Amino acid sequence: MTVQETPGAGVVVGVDLGGTKTAAAVVDAAGRAGPVRATPTPAQDGPDAVLDAVAALVADVARAAGEPLRAVGVGAAGVIDARRGAVVSATETFARWPGTDVAGGLRRRLGPLAAAAPLALTVENDVDAHAAGEAWRGAAAGARSALLVAVGTGVGGAVVLDGRPLRGAHHLAGEMGHMPVPGADGLRCACGRLGHLEAVAAGPAIHRRYRELGGDPASADARDVVARAAAGDGVAVGVVRAAGAAVGRAIAGVVTVLDPEVVVVGGGVAGAGELWWSALRDALRAEVVDVLAALPVVPAALGPDAAIVGAARGAWRAVAAPTLSPTDHPGAAS
């Protein structure tokens, strides 16, 4: 769907709402992001504090642009019902976050800044927004289908079909962090269960496993473990390779079912270097059937702007189809 910009009609702002930081920027109809502004997320202070902080940030971005708000798109942490713009479930990172009406709360706060009422506002999962950004302007641009995997503090995933994230019946389509995978046997996941991908592949899991296997107790975090691996620390090498291989096996299972055109891998852990990437690729190639052997697996291209751009994509679609109901909205497709 093509959207035309009208000078003076207001700006579209994309928001990446994370557990530690919230970032936002004006994004034009071609997916180009302006200067990014950020603020700490008061995640433990409750939903009202979070929504107040997001609204203040969006207001600052619009004020700096010298325009009223045309639309706002939010990529938010947690399981999100994109049709309603509400949080279905979340981890303990956000206090009392489940059940929060993010769309309604932000619309009330930002309505006075809108170019027209009601303010067009979309909300989706942050990894879905990340994937939409990469599909629009990043590493998956031009592909009709893509799997995005984000490996950082946790492990997330999203499936993009024809430029739109697949939501699923329970708002969980593409999520990979809680897949059982070989190599994670007996390891406890943040969800409390054993054997999930996140328990072996996420940044905190890498650090924890390094310490458990006798690594230097002075090691501070996963970034330090990766640096030690690059320097030849044997325990670190094993842990980093095991983490990459687990991600590769998980991707193998998903692509065998979905057969996407491309796999895009991002997140902080994806910057771990060739040791991690080679383990991922080797495990993936060892598991998939021959017809998938040449499947492109590429690094994400947009970096920290991806979720901002992808969230704005949903908002631009809302602008393009203002007469659709929330349940039919292209930006909130299931």
Side-chain angles (χ1 to χ4, degrees):
M1 183 177 295
T2 302
V3 183
Q4 298 296 324
E5 284 190 271
T6 303
V11 293
V12 171
V13 176
V15 180
D16 179 8
L17 171 52
T20 303
K21 179 184 74 173
T22 299
V26 170
V27 180
D28 69 17
R32 295 181 293 259
V36 175
R37 293 182 175 229
T39 188
T41 304
Q44 286 300 305
D45 294 339
D48 283 338
V50 172
L51 296 181
D52 285 346
V54 173
L57 180 64
V58 171
D60 284 346
V61 169
R63 192 176 300 114
E67 295 270 5
L69 286 173
R70 187 176 186 182
V72 178
V74 181
V79 177
I80 306 296
D81 180 344
R83 292 177 180 271
R84 297 188 298 116
V87 182
V88 176
S89 68
T91 67
E92 60 188 17
T93 300
F94 279 80
R96 304 183 299 282
W97 196 230
T100 301
D101 179 7
V102 178
L106 289 178
R107 192 173 282 114
R108 286 192 298 274
R109 289 166 170 82
L110 293 170
L113 302 179
L119 174 65
L121 202 150
T122 59
V123 184
E124 60 188 315
N125 169 263
D126 54 354
V127 180
D128 284 353
H130 190 152
E134 290 289 344
W136 189 17
R137 294 283 298 179
R144 295 195 60 182
S145 60
L147 170 68
L148 179 122
V149 184
V151 189
T153 303
V155 180
V159 179
V160 176
L161 300 175
D162 292 327
R164 296 186 180 127
L166 179 68
R167 309 296 186 190
H170 302 93
H171 322 293
L172 284 170
E175 283 294 346
M176 296 174 58
H178 303 293
M179 289 176 58
V181 293
D185 310 278
L187 300 179
R188 184 168 298 278
C189 182
C191 73
R193 293 170 176 82
L194 300 178
H196 291 179
L197 175 62
E198 199 166 287
V200 67
I206 290 172
H207 181 238
R208 181 174 62 250
R209 191 63 175 157
Y210 174 73
R211 299 280 295 271
E212 289 173 349
L213 293 177
D216 188 341
S219 176
D221 52 24
R223 185 178 290 105
D224 176 74
V225 177
V226 169
R228 290 172 185 271
D233 181 320
V235 176
V237 167
V239 170
V240 171
R241 284 196 59 83
V247 175
R249 293 187 190 100
I251 291 173
V254 175
V255 300
T256 300
V257 174
L258 296 179
D259 189 18
E261 289 183 38
V262 62
V263 177
V264 178
V265 184
V269 174
E274 184 55 29
L275 179 67
W276 185 86
W277 276 95
S278 64
L280 184 158
R281 293 191 182 102
D282 290 349
L284 171 62
R285 305 305 179 201
E287 297 284 349
V288 296
V289 294
D290 290 348
V291 71
L292 292 173
L295 174 69
V297 180
V298 299
L302 296 184
D305 291 351
I308 293 173
V309 171
R313 178 63 160 164
W316 274 111
R317 283 186 165 134
V319 169
T323 61
L324 295 184
S325 71
T327 55
D328 292 329
H329 221 290
S334 63

